[in-house]
PDB file of all heavy atoms in Angstrom:
ATOM      1  N   ALA A  45      37.760   7.367  -0.241  1.00  0.00           N
ATOM      2  CA  ALA A  45      38.914   7.035  -0.923  1.00  0.00           C
ATOM      3  C   ALA A  45      40.140   7.574  -0.119  1.00  0.00           C
ATOM      4  O   ALA A  45      41.214   7.037  -0.260  1.00  0.00           O
ATOM      5  CB  ALA A  45      38.855   7.700  -2.266  1.00  0.00           C
ATOM      6  N   GLN A  46      39.938   8.752   0.642  1.00  0.00           N
ATOM      7  CA  GLN A  46      41.146   9.269   1.265  1.00  0.00           C
ATOM      8  C   GLN A  46      41.369   8.892   2.699  1.00  0.00           C
ATOM      9  O   GLN A  46      42.238   9.048   3.339  1.00  0.00           O
ATOM     10  CB  GLN A  46      40.882  10.791   1.301  1.00  0.00           C
ATOM     11  CG  GLN A  46      40.947  11.528  -0.075  1.00  0.00           C
ATOM     12  CD  GLN A  46      40.551  13.042  -0.064  1.00  0.00           C
ATOM     13  OE1 GLN A  46      40.138  13.387   1.044  1.00  0.00           O
ATOM     14  NE2 GLN A  46      40.889  13.691  -1.032  1.00  0.00           N
ATOM     15  N   ASP A  47      40.262   8.023   3.097  1.00  0.00           N
ATOM     16  CA  ASP A  47      40.217   7.546   4.540  1.00  0.00           C
ATOM     17  C   ASP A  47      41.191   6.443   4.833  1.00  0.00           C
ATOM     18  O   ASP A  47      40.895   5.296   4.386  1.00  0.00           O
ATOM     19  CB  ASP A  47      38.788   7.216   4.990  1.00  0.00           C
ATOM     20  CG  ASP A  47      38.650   7.203   6.417  1.00  0.00           C
ATOM     21  OD1 ASP A  47      39.599   7.107   7.127  1.00  0.00           O
ATOM     22  OD2 ASP A  47      37.488   7.102   6.938  1.00  0.00           O
ATOM     23  N   ALA A  48      42.200   6.612   5.651  1.00  0.00           N
ATOM     24  CA  ALA A  48      43.198   5.638   5.904  1.00  0.00           C
ATOM     25  C   ALA A  48      42.838   4.885   7.170  1.00  0.00           C
ATOM     26  O   ALA A  48      43.486   4.007   7.552  1.00  0.00           O
ATOM     27  CB  ALA A  48      44.539   6.157   5.926  1.00  0.00           C
ATOM     28  N   ARG A  49      41.834   5.333   7.821  1.00  0.00           N
ATOM     29  CA  ARG A  49      41.380   4.776   9.168  1.00  0.00           C
ATOM     30  C   ARG A  49      40.521   3.540   9.018  1.00  0.00           C
ATOM     31  O   ARG A  49      39.419   3.318   9.318  1.00  0.00           O
ATOM     32  CB  ARG A  49      40.671   5.808   9.942  1.00  0.00           C
ATOM     33  CG  ARG A  49      41.586   6.954  10.331  1.00  0.00           C
ATOM     34  CD  ARG A  49      40.770   7.967  11.177  1.00  0.00           C
ATOM     35  NE  ARG A  49      39.586   8.527  10.398  1.00  0.00           N
ATOM     36  CZ  ARG A  49      39.683   9.608   9.606  1.00  0.00           C
ATOM     37  NH1 ARG A  49      40.828  10.203   9.421  1.00  0.00           N
ATOM     38  NH2 ARG A  49      38.588   9.986   9.098  1.00  0.00           N
ATOM     39  N   ARG A  50      41.156   2.477   8.287  1.00  0.00           N
ATOM     40  CA  ARG A  50      40.509   1.333   7.945  1.00  0.00           C
ATOM     41  C   ARG A  50      39.833   0.637   9.248  1.00  0.00           C
ATOM     42  O   ARG A  50      38.783   0.116   9.141  1.00  0.00           O
ATOM     43  CB  ARG A  50      41.324   0.333   7.176  1.00  0.00           C
ATOM     44  CG  ARG A  50      40.735  -0.983   6.761  1.00  0.00           C
ATOM     45  CD  ARG A  50      39.644  -0.771   5.721  1.00  0.00           C
ATOM     46  NE  ARG A  50      39.943  -0.109   4.488  1.00  0.00           N
ATOM     47  CZ  ARG A  50      39.177   0.319   3.677  1.00  0.00           C
ATOM     48  NH1 ARG A  50      37.863   0.237   3.731  1.00  0.00           N
ATOM     49  NH2 ARG A  50      39.545   0.890   2.415  1.00  0.00           N
ATOM     50  N   GLY A  51      40.634   0.547  10.219  1.00  0.00           N
ATOM     51  CA  GLY A  51      40.151  -0.034  11.489  1.00  0.00           C
ATOM     52  C   GLY A  51      38.907   0.581  12.016  1.00  0.00           C
ATOM     53  O   GLY A  51      38.022  -0.201  12.378  1.00  0.00           O
ATOM     54  N   LYS A  52      38.763   1.910  11.898  1.00  0.00           N
ATOM     55  CA  LYS A  52      37.634   2.513  12.450  1.00  0.00           C
ATOM     56  C   LYS A  52      36.388   2.217  11.511  1.00  0.00           C
ATOM     57  O   LYS A  52      35.307   2.052  12.057  1.00  0.00           O
ATOM     58  CB  LYS A  52      37.907   4.060  12.481  1.00  0.00           C
ATOM     59  CG  LYS A  52      36.715   4.870  13.008  1.00  0.00           C
ATOM     60  CD  LYS A  52      36.962   6.249  13.293  1.00  0.00           C
ATOM     61  CE  LYS A  52      37.835   6.471  14.552  1.00  0.00           C
ATOM     62  NZ  LYS A  52      37.970   7.751  15.010  1.00  0.00           N
ATOM     63  N   ILE A  53      36.675   2.243  10.281  1.00  0.00           N
ATOM     64  CA  ILE A  53      35.531   1.892   9.262  1.00  0.00           C
ATOM     65  C   ILE A  53      35.074   0.421   9.549  1.00  0.00           C
ATOM     66  O   ILE A  53      33.852   0.260   9.677  1.00  0.00           O
ATOM     67  CB  ILE A  53      35.989   1.999   7.829  1.00  0.00           C
ATOM     68  CG1 ILE A  53      36.389   3.425   7.477  1.00  0.00           C
ATOM     69  CG2 ILE A  53      34.977   1.444   6.950  1.00  0.00           C
ATOM     70  CD1 ILE A  53      37.133   3.604   6.110  1.00  0.00           C
ATOM     71  N   PHE A  54      35.882  -0.438   9.740  1.00  0.00           N
ATOM     72  CA  PHE A  54      35.677  -1.841  10.024  1.00  0.00           C
ATOM     73  C   PHE A  54      34.766  -1.901  11.359  1.00  0.00           C
ATOM     74  O   PHE A  54      33.846  -2.652  11.525  1.00  0.00           O
ATOM     75  CB  PHE A  54      36.747  -2.718  10.062  1.00  0.00           C
ATOM     76  CG  PHE A  54      37.097  -3.239   8.625  1.00  0.00           C
ATOM     77  CD1 PHE A  54      36.650  -2.667   7.500  1.00  0.00           C
ATOM     78  CD2 PHE A  54      37.958  -4.261   8.552  1.00  0.00           C
ATOM     79  CE1 PHE A  54      37.008  -3.121   6.194  1.00  0.00           C
ATOM     80  CE2 PHE A  54      38.382  -4.793   7.260  1.00  0.00           C
ATOM     81  CZ  PHE A  54      37.757  -4.183   6.115  1.00  0.00           C
ATOM     82  N   ASN A  55      35.180  -1.218  12.322  1.00  0.00           N
ATOM     83  CA  ASN A  55      34.535  -1.250  13.595  1.00  0.00           C
ATOM     84  C   ASN A  55      33.007  -0.795  13.443  1.00  0.00           C
ATOM     85  O   ASN A  55      32.206  -1.394  14.121  1.00  0.00           O
ATOM     86  CB  ASN A  55      35.248  -0.310  14.711  1.00  0.00           C
ATOM     87  CG  ASN A  55      36.492  -0.995  15.164  1.00  0.00           C
ATOM     88  OD1 ASN A  55      36.841  -2.188  15.106  1.00  0.00           O
ATOM     89  ND2 ASN A  55      37.337  -0.102  15.723  1.00  0.00           N
ATOM     90  N   LYS A  56      32.848   0.244  12.661  1.00  0.00           N
ATOM     91  CA  LYS A  56      31.516   0.692  12.514  1.00  0.00           C
ATOM     92  C   LYS A  56      30.635  -0.238  11.726  1.00  0.00           C
ATOM     93  O   LYS A  56      29.444  -0.484  11.916  1.00  0.00           O
ATOM     94  CB  LYS A  56      31.486   1.994  11.829  1.00  0.00           C
ATOM     95  CG  LYS A  56      32.157   3.141  12.675  1.00  0.00           C
ATOM     96  CD  LYS A  56      31.993   4.551  12.012  1.00  0.00           C
ATOM     97  CE  LYS A  56      32.715   5.561  13.016  1.00  0.00           C
ATOM     98  NZ  LYS A  56      32.455   6.864  12.770  1.00  0.00           N
ATOM     99  N   LEU A  57      31.264  -0.895  10.684  1.00  0.00           N
ATOM    100  CA  LEU A  57      30.481  -1.850   9.866  1.00  0.00           C
ATOM    101  C   LEU A  57      30.171  -3.176  10.789  1.00  0.00           C
ATOM    102  O   LEU A  57      29.072  -3.635  10.706  1.00  0.00           O
ATOM    103  CB  LEU A  57      31.324  -2.317   8.674  1.00  0.00           C
ATOM    104  CG  LEU A  57      31.559  -1.292   7.564  1.00  0.00           C
ATOM    105  CD1 LEU A  57      32.639  -1.798   6.646  1.00  0.00           C
ATOM    106  CD2 LEU A  57      30.329  -1.004   6.805  1.00  0.00           C
ATOM    107  N   ILE A  58      31.087  -3.540  11.624  1.00  0.00           N
ATOM    108  CA  ILE A  58      30.811  -4.711  12.514  1.00  0.00           C
ATOM    109  C   ILE A  58      29.790  -4.450  13.475  1.00  0.00           C
ATOM    110  O   ILE A  58      28.811  -5.332  13.752  1.00  0.00           O
ATOM    111  CB  ILE A  58      32.203  -4.966  13.267  1.00  0.00           C
ATOM    112  CG1 ILE A  58      33.133  -5.740  12.303  1.00  0.00           C
ATOM    113  CG2 ILE A  58      31.903  -5.896  14.429  1.00  0.00           C
ATOM    114  CD1 ILE A  58      34.534  -5.904  12.918  1.00  0.00           C
ATOM    115  N   ARG A  59      29.673  -3.193  14.037  1.00  0.00           N
ATOM    116  CA  ARG A  59      28.634  -2.791  14.873  1.00  0.00           C
ATOM    117  C   ARG A  59      27.289  -2.898  14.228  1.00  0.00           C
ATOM    118  O   ARG A  59      26.364  -3.492  14.646  1.00  0.00           O
ATOM    119  CB  ARG A  59      28.792  -1.377  15.505  1.00  0.00           C
ATOM    120  CG  ARG A  59      29.882  -1.289  16.488  1.00  0.00           C
ATOM    121  CD  ARG A  59      29.869   0.267  17.019  1.00  0.00           C
ATOM    122  NE  ARG A  59      30.716   0.430  18.058  1.00  0.00           N
ATOM    123  CZ  ARG A  59      31.040   1.638  18.589  1.00  0.00           C
ATOM    124  NH1 ARG A  59      30.262   2.524  18.349  1.00  0.00           N
ATOM    125  NH2 ARG A  59      32.016   1.792  19.469  1.00  0.00           N
ATOM    126  N   GLU A  60      27.176  -2.369  12.996  1.00  0.00           N
ATOM    127  CA  GLU A  60      25.909  -2.505  12.175  1.00  0.00           C
ATOM    128  C   GLU A  60      25.467  -3.845  12.023  1.00  0.00           C
ATOM    129  O   GLU A  60      24.292  -4.285  11.939  1.00  0.00           O
ATOM    130  CB  GLU A  60      26.013  -1.675  10.884  1.00  0.00           C
ATOM    131  CG  GLU A  60      24.870  -1.786   9.962  1.00  0.00           C
ATOM    132  CD  GLU A  60      23.443  -1.303  10.492  1.00  0.00           C
ATOM    133  OE1 GLU A  60      23.590  -0.514  11.530  1.00  0.00           O
ATOM    134  OE2 GLU A  60      22.492  -1.657   9.969  1.00  0.00           O
ATOM    135  N   LEU A  61      26.449  -4.730  11.542  1.00  0.00           N
ATOM    136  CA  LEU A  61      26.131  -6.162  11.307  1.00  0.00           C
ATOM    137  C   LEU A  61      25.525  -6.741  12.503  1.00  0.00           C
ATOM    138  O   LEU A  61      24.581  -7.484  12.507  1.00  0.00           O
ATOM    139  CB  LEU A  61      27.391  -6.883  10.786  1.00  0.00           C
ATOM    140  CG  LEU A  61      27.986  -6.499   9.423  1.00  0.00           C
ATOM    141  CD1 LEU A  61      29.332  -6.925   9.316  1.00  0.00           C
ATOM    142  CD2 LEU A  61      27.026  -7.189   8.366  1.00  0.00           C
ATOM    143  N   SER A  62      26.161  -6.549  13.734  1.00  0.00           N
ATOM    144  CA  SER A  62      25.819  -7.200  14.866  1.00  0.00           C
ATOM    145  C   SER A  62      24.409  -6.715  15.360  1.00  0.00           C
ATOM    146  O   SER A  62      23.614  -7.536  15.805  1.00  0.00           O
ATOM    147  CB  SER A  62      26.841  -6.952  16.021  1.00  0.00           C
ATOM    148  OG  SER A  62      28.119  -7.604  15.709  1.00  0.00           O
ATOM    149  N   VAL A  63      24.230  -5.466  15.326  1.00  0.00           N
ATOM    150  CA  VAL A  63      22.957  -4.855  15.786  1.00  0.00           C
ATOM    151  C   VAL A  63      21.868  -5.337  14.843  1.00  0.00           C
ATOM    152  O   VAL A  63      20.737  -5.648  15.280  1.00  0.00           O
ATOM    153  CB  VAL A  63      23.029  -3.371  15.893  1.00  0.00           C
ATOM    154  CG1 VAL A  63      21.555  -2.777  16.111  1.00  0.00           C
ATOM    155  CG2 VAL A  63      23.909  -2.983  17.106  1.00  0.00           C
ATOM    156  N   ALA A  64      22.088  -5.295  13.576  1.00  0.00           N
ATOM    157  CA  ALA A  64      20.965  -5.693  12.531  1.00  0.00           C
ATOM    158  C   ALA A  64      20.728  -7.245  12.759  1.00  0.00           C
ATOM    159  O   ALA A  64      19.543  -7.524  12.661  1.00  0.00           O
ATOM    160  CB  ALA A  64      21.651  -5.558  11.078  1.00  0.00           C
ATOM    161  N   ALA A  65      21.638  -8.145  13.014  1.00  0.00           N
ATOM    162  CA  ALA A  65      21.282  -9.525  13.387  1.00  0.00           C
ATOM    163  C   ALA A  65      20.685  -9.616  14.725  1.00  0.00           C
ATOM    164  O   ALA A  65      19.732 -10.475  14.872  1.00  0.00           O
ATOM    165  CB  ALA A  65      22.756 -10.241  13.423  1.00  0.00           C
ATOM    166  N   ARG A  66      20.986  -8.752  15.677  1.00  0.00           N
ATOM    167  CA  ARG A  66      20.309  -8.926  16.944  1.00  0.00           C
ATOM    168  C   ARG A  66      18.888  -8.543  16.843  1.00  0.00           C
ATOM    169  O   ARG A  66      17.941  -9.161  17.500  1.00  0.00           O
ATOM    170  CB  ARG A  66      21.055  -7.935  17.891  1.00  0.00           C
ATOM    171  CG  ARG A  66      20.365  -7.770  19.353  1.00  0.00           C
ATOM    172  CD  ARG A  66      21.275  -7.480  20.416  1.00  0.00           C
ATOM    173  NE  ARG A  66      22.056  -6.280  20.300  1.00  0.00           N
ATOM    174  CZ  ARG A  66      21.600  -4.988  20.568  1.00  0.00           C
ATOM    175  NH1 ARG A  66      20.456  -4.864  21.171  1.00  0.00           N
ATOM    176  NH2 ARG A  66      22.289  -4.032  20.315  1.00  0.00           N
ATOM    177  N   HIS A  67      18.455  -7.612  15.999  1.00  0.00           N
ATOM    178  CA  HIS A  67      17.124  -7.068  15.916  1.00  0.00           C
ATOM    179  C   HIS A  67      16.247  -8.030  14.986  1.00  0.00           C
ATOM    180  O   HIS A  67      15.090  -8.191  15.204  1.00  0.00           O
ATOM    181  CB  HIS A  67      17.029  -5.622  15.403  1.00  0.00           C
ATOM    182  CG  HIS A  67      17.438  -4.703  16.640  1.00  0.00           C
ATOM    183  ND1 HIS A  67      16.903  -4.661  17.829  1.00  0.00           N
ATOM    184  CD2 HIS A  67      18.435  -3.747  16.526  1.00  0.00           C
ATOM    185  CE1 HIS A  67      17.427  -3.683  18.604  1.00  0.00           C
ATOM    186  NE2 HIS A  67      18.388  -3.241  17.831  1.00  0.00           N
ATOM    187  N   GLY A  68      16.933  -8.426  13.933  1.00  0.00           N
ATOM    188  CA  GLY A  68      16.102  -9.132  12.789  1.00  0.00           C
ATOM    189  C   GLY A  68      16.601 -10.590  12.637  1.00  0.00           C
ATOM    190  O   GLY A  68      16.002 -11.152  11.596  1.00  0.00           O
ATOM    191  N   GLY A  69      17.514 -11.086  13.364  1.00  0.00           N
ATOM    192  CA  GLY A  69      18.025 -12.455  13.092  1.00  0.00           C
ATOM    193  C   GLY A  69      19.279 -12.490  12.223  1.00  0.00           C
ATOM    194  O   GLY A  69      19.540 -11.587  11.394  1.00  0.00           O
ATOM    195  N   GLY A  70      19.819 -13.637  12.164  1.00  0.00           N
ATOM    196  CA  GLY A  70      21.094 -13.745  11.375  1.00  0.00           C
ATOM    197  C   GLY A  70      20.978 -14.276   9.951  1.00  0.00           C
ATOM    198  O   GLY A  70      22.075 -14.426   9.370  1.00  0.00           O
ATOM    199  N   ASP A  71      19.826 -14.319   9.454  1.00  0.00           N
ATOM    200  CA  ASP A  71      19.652 -14.844   8.070  1.00  0.00           C
ATOM    201  C   ASP A  71      19.319 -13.583   7.225  1.00  0.00           C
ATOM    202  O   ASP A  71      18.164 -13.001   7.268  1.00  0.00           O
ATOM    203  CB  ASP A  71      18.461 -15.775   7.923  1.00  0.00           C
ATOM    204  CG  ASP A  71      18.298 -16.353   6.510  1.00  0.00           C
ATOM    205  OD1 ASP A  71      19.171 -15.905   5.596  1.00  0.00           O
ATOM    206  OD2 ASP A  71      17.518 -17.239   6.309  1.00  0.00           O
ATOM    207  N   PRO A  72      20.223 -13.132   6.312  1.00  0.00           N
ATOM    208  CA  PRO A  72      20.023 -12.000   5.475  1.00  0.00           C
ATOM    209  C   PRO A  72      18.687 -12.139   4.498  1.00  0.00           C
ATOM    210  O   PRO A  72      18.226 -11.053   4.155  1.00  0.00           O
ATOM    211  CB  PRO A  72      21.218 -11.805   4.693  1.00  0.00           C
ATOM    212  CG  PRO A  72      22.022 -13.150   4.782  1.00  0.00           C
ATOM    213  CD  PRO A  72      21.630 -13.734   6.081  1.00  0.00           C
ATOM    214  N   ALA A  73      18.364 -13.290   4.246  1.00  0.00           N
ATOM    215  CA  ALA A  73      17.204 -13.552   3.437  1.00  0.00           C
ATOM    216  C   ALA A  73      15.909 -13.052   4.034  1.00  0.00           C
ATOM    217  O   ALA A  73      15.065 -12.698   3.278  1.00  0.00           O
ATOM    218  CB  ALA A  73      17.105 -15.006   2.917  1.00  0.00           C
ATOM    219  N   ASP A  74      15.908 -13.085   5.440  1.00  0.00           N
ATOM    220  CA  ASP A  74      14.819 -12.638   6.146  1.00  0.00           C
ATOM    221  C   ASP A  74      14.955 -11.446   6.878  1.00  0.00           C
ATOM    222  O   ASP A  74      14.040 -11.126   7.647  1.00  0.00           O
ATOM    223  CB  ASP A  74      14.398 -13.860   7.149  1.00  0.00           C
ATOM    224  CG  ASP A  74      13.942 -15.109   6.330  1.00  0.00           C
ATOM    225  OD1 ASP A  74      13.427 -15.055   5.369  1.00  0.00           O
ATOM    226  OD2 ASP A  74      14.426 -16.257   6.954  1.00  0.00           O
ATOM    227  N   ASN A  75      16.006 -10.704   6.650  1.00  0.00           N
ATOM    228  CA  ASN A  75      16.415  -9.541   7.428  1.00  0.00           C
ATOM    229  C   ASN A  75      16.974  -8.630   6.527  1.00  0.00           C
ATOM    230  O   ASN A  75      18.138  -8.494   6.312  1.00  0.00           O
ATOM    231  CB  ASN A  75      17.413  -9.914   8.541  1.00  0.00           C
ATOM    232  CG  ASN A  75      17.727  -8.737   9.410  1.00  0.00           C
ATOM    233  OD1 ASN A  75      17.542  -7.564   9.070  1.00  0.00           O
ATOM    234  ND2 ASN A  75      18.474  -9.011  10.591  1.00  0.00           N
ATOM    235  N   PRO A  76      16.071  -7.645   5.918  1.00  0.00           N
ATOM    236  CA  PRO A  76      16.629  -6.732   4.816  1.00  0.00           C
ATOM    237  C   PRO A  76      17.800  -5.712   5.388  1.00  0.00           C
ATOM    238  O   PRO A  76      18.598  -5.386   4.766  1.00  0.00           O
ATOM    239  CB  PRO A  76      15.376  -5.803   4.588  1.00  0.00           C
ATOM    240  CG  PRO A  76      14.250  -6.906   4.898  1.00  0.00           C
ATOM    241  CD  PRO A  76      14.693  -7.551   6.008  1.00  0.00           C
ATOM    242  N   ARG A  77      17.677  -5.348   6.699  1.00  0.00           N
ATOM    243  CA  ARG A  77      18.637  -4.437   7.233  1.00  0.00           C
ATOM    244  C   ARG A  77      19.940  -5.290   7.265  1.00  0.00           C
ATOM    245  O   ARG A  77      21.050  -4.573   6.871  1.00  0.00           O
ATOM    246  CB  ARG A  77      18.195  -4.066   8.640  1.00  0.00           C
ATOM    247  CG  ARG A  77      19.362  -3.216   9.229  1.00  0.00           C
ATOM    248  CD  ARG A  77      18.925  -2.732  10.676  1.00  0.00           C
ATOM    249  NE  ARG A  77      19.997  -1.886  11.343  1.00  0.00           N
ATOM    250  CZ  ARG A  77      19.972  -1.464  12.485  1.00  0.00           C
ATOM    251  NH1 ARG A  77      18.754  -1.607  13.198  1.00  0.00           N
ATOM    252  NH2 ARG A  77      20.874  -0.815  13.016  1.00  0.00           N
ATOM    253  N   LEU A  78      19.995  -6.541   7.620  1.00  0.00           N
ATOM    254  CA  LEU A  78      21.228  -7.238   7.636  1.00  0.00           C
ATOM    255  C   LEU A  78      21.806  -7.494   6.212  1.00  0.00           C
ATOM    256  O   LEU A  78      23.053  -7.292   6.142  1.00  0.00           O
ATOM    257  CB  LEU A  78      21.103  -8.530   8.331  1.00  0.00           C
ATOM    258  CG  LEU A  78      22.253  -9.545   8.439  1.00  0.00           C
ATOM    259  CD1 LEU A  78      23.358  -8.924   9.072  1.00  0.00           C
ATOM    260  CD2 LEU A  78      21.924 -10.960   9.022  1.00  0.00           C
ATOM    261  N   ARG A  79      20.969  -7.744   5.307  1.00  0.00           N
ATOM    262  CA  ARG A  79      21.355  -7.772   3.833  1.00  0.00           C
ATOM    263  C   ARG A  79      22.039  -6.594   3.402  1.00  0.00           C
ATOM    264  O   ARG A  79      23.171  -6.614   2.808  1.00  0.00           O
ATOM    265  CB  ARG A  79      20.147  -8.110   3.032  1.00  0.00           C
ATOM    266  CG  ARG A  79      20.363  -7.884   1.470  1.00  0.00           C
ATOM    267  CD  ARG A  79      21.517  -8.876   0.962  1.00  0.00           C
ATOM    268  NE  ARG A  79      21.867  -8.408  -0.321  1.00  0.00           N
ATOM    269  CZ  ARG A  79      21.242  -8.755  -1.450  1.00  0.00           C
ATOM    270  NH1 ARG A  79      20.154  -9.434  -1.565  1.00  0.00           N
ATOM    271  NH2 ARG A  79      21.722  -8.308  -2.722  1.00  0.00           N
ATOM    272  N   ALA A  80      21.419  -5.438   3.768  1.00  0.00           N
ATOM    273  CA  ALA A  80      22.166  -4.171   3.265  1.00  0.00           C
ATOM    274  C   ALA A  80      23.467  -3.950   4.105  1.00  0.00           C
ATOM    275  O   ALA A  80      24.443  -3.426   3.401  1.00  0.00           O
ATOM    276  CB  ALA A  80      21.237  -2.896   3.704  1.00  0.00           C
ATOM    277  N   ALA A  81      23.618  -4.305   5.317  1.00  0.00           N
ATOM    278  CA  ALA A  81      24.852  -4.272   6.124  1.00  0.00           C
ATOM    279  C   ALA A  81      25.950  -5.055   5.486  1.00  0.00           C
ATOM    280  O   ALA A  81      27.124  -4.724   5.342  1.00  0.00           O
ATOM    281  CB  ALA A  81      24.620  -4.534   7.620  1.00  0.00           C
ATOM    282  N   ILE A  82      25.438  -6.332   5.084  1.00  0.00           N
ATOM    283  CA  ILE A  82      26.500  -7.319   4.509  1.00  0.00           C
ATOM    284  C   ILE A  82      27.001  -6.729   3.155  1.00  0.00           C
ATOM    285  O   ILE A  82      28.144  -6.730   2.938  1.00  0.00           O
ATOM    286  CB  ILE A  82      25.797  -8.599   4.275  1.00  0.00           C
ATOM    287  CG1 ILE A  82      25.605  -9.287   5.705  1.00  0.00           C
ATOM    288  CG2 ILE A  82      26.713  -9.634   3.493  1.00  0.00           C
ATOM    289  CD1 ILE A  82      24.910 -10.583   5.615  1.00  0.00           C
ATOM    290  N   ASP A  83      26.088  -6.209   2.328  1.00  0.00           N
ATOM    291  CA  ASP A  83      26.556  -5.604   1.053  1.00  0.00           C
ATOM    292  C   ASP A  83      27.567  -4.448   1.236  1.00  0.00           C
ATOM    293  O   ASP A  83      28.580  -4.440   0.622  1.00  0.00           O
ATOM    294  CB  ASP A  83      25.286  -5.013   0.307  1.00  0.00           C
ATOM    295  CG  ASP A  83      24.425  -6.119  -0.336  1.00  0.00           C
ATOM    296  OD1 ASP A  83      24.899  -7.428  -0.365  1.00  0.00           O
ATOM    297  OD2 ASP A  83      23.429  -5.809  -0.911  1.00  0.00           O
ATOM    298  N   LYS A  84      27.316  -3.568   2.244  1.00  0.00           N
ATOM    299  CA  LYS A  84      28.174  -2.504   2.572  1.00  0.00           C
ATOM    300  C   LYS A  84      29.421  -3.053   3.011  1.00  0.00           C
ATOM    301  O   LYS A  84      30.564  -2.505   2.601  1.00  0.00           O
ATOM    302  CB  LYS A  84      27.429  -1.585   3.617  1.00  0.00           C
ATOM    303  CG  LYS A  84      28.182  -0.330   3.688  1.00  0.00           C
ATOM    304  CD  LYS A  84      27.287   0.700   4.564  1.00  0.00           C
ATOM    305  CE  LYS A  84      27.890   2.077   4.660  1.00  0.00           C
ATOM    306  NZ  LYS A  84      27.169   3.018   5.492  1.00  0.00           N
ATOM    307  N   ALA A  85      29.489  -3.998   3.915  1.00  0.00           N
ATOM    308  CA  ALA A  85      30.823  -4.610   4.432  1.00  0.00           C
ATOM    309  C   ALA A  85      31.590  -5.267   3.293  1.00  0.00           C
ATOM    310  O   ALA A  85      32.702  -4.963   3.216  1.00  0.00           O
ATOM    311  CB  ALA A  85      30.454  -5.614   5.425  1.00  0.00           C
ATOM    312  N   LEU A  86      30.969  -5.910   2.364  1.00  0.00           N
ATOM    313  CA  LEU A  86      31.636  -6.638   1.240  1.00  0.00           C
ATOM    314  C   LEU A  86      32.245  -5.465   0.230  1.00  0.00           C
ATOM    315  O   LEU A  86      33.344  -5.652  -0.282  1.00  0.00           O
ATOM    316  CB  LEU A  86      30.677  -7.491   0.451  1.00  0.00           C
ATOM    317  CG  LEU A  86      30.231  -8.781   1.170  1.00  0.00           C
ATOM    318  CD1 LEU A  86      29.188  -9.519   0.377  1.00  0.00           C
ATOM    319  CD2 LEU A  86      31.505  -9.747   1.350  1.00  0.00           C
ATOM    320  N   SER A  87      31.431  -4.370   0.177  1.00  0.00           N
ATOM    321  CA  SER A  87      32.015  -3.289  -0.791  1.00  0.00           C
ATOM    322  C   SER A  87      33.133  -2.653  -0.237  1.00  0.00           C
ATOM    323  O   SER A  87      33.914  -2.100  -0.861  1.00  0.00           O
ATOM    324  CB  SER A  87      30.828  -2.382  -1.059  1.00  0.00           C
ATOM    325  OG  SER A  87      30.542  -1.598   0.084  1.00  0.00           O
ATOM    326  N   ASN A  88      33.332  -2.828   1.081  1.00  0.00           N
ATOM    327  CA  ASN A  88      34.554  -2.152   1.858  1.00  0.00           C
ATOM    328  C   ASN A  88      35.568  -3.265   2.049  1.00  0.00           C
ATOM    329  O   ASN A  88      36.481  -3.029   2.885  1.00  0.00           O
ATOM    330  CB  ASN A  88      34.120  -1.547   3.189  1.00  0.00           C
ATOM    331  CG  ASN A  88      33.573  -0.175   2.993  1.00  0.00           C
ATOM    332  OD1 ASN A  88      34.330   0.752   2.900  1.00  0.00           O
ATOM    333  ND2 ASN A  88      32.164  -0.059   2.823  1.00  0.00           N
ATOM    334  N   ASN A  89      35.544  -4.403   1.391  1.00  0.00           N
ATOM    335  CA  ASN A  89      36.426  -5.439   1.343  1.00  0.00           C
ATOM    336  C   ASN A  89      36.652  -6.116   2.658  1.00  0.00           C
ATOM    337  O   ASN A  89      37.666  -6.733   3.034  1.00  0.00           O
ATOM    338  CB  ASN A  89      37.846  -4.889   0.946  1.00  0.00           C
ATOM    339  CG  ASN A  89      37.879  -4.205  -0.524  1.00  0.00           C
ATOM    340  OD1 ASN A  89      37.271  -4.872  -1.436  1.00  0.00           O
ATOM    341  ND2 ASN A  89      38.372  -3.063  -0.766  1.00  0.00           N
TER     342      ASN A  89
END
């Protein structure tokens, strides 16, 4: 709530999304790690 470094937060989320897709494919229905990463990204707007 106090973290104003939105760009840094987004950079970390983007990395997780990309690596999750690289390892398990781009379909969240078949890639639980990617599904969790997408949920986290959406919760951070």
Side-chain angles (χ1 to χ4, degrees):
Q46 295 173 347
D47 194 347
R49 297 182 295 275
R50 180 63 62 186
K52 180 169 285 191
I53 293 172
F54 274 17
N55 286 341
K56 294 186 180 194
L57 292 169
I58 286 169
R59 283 185 182 181
E60 172 60 19
L61 289 163
S62 295
V63 170
R66 173 152 55 91
H67 287 306
D71 184 355
D74 298 323
N75 184 345
R77 179 178 175 182
L78 178 59
R79 165 63 194 275
I82 290 173
D83 283 354
K84 192 170 185 177
L86 289 171
S87 70
N88 280 276
N89 300 316

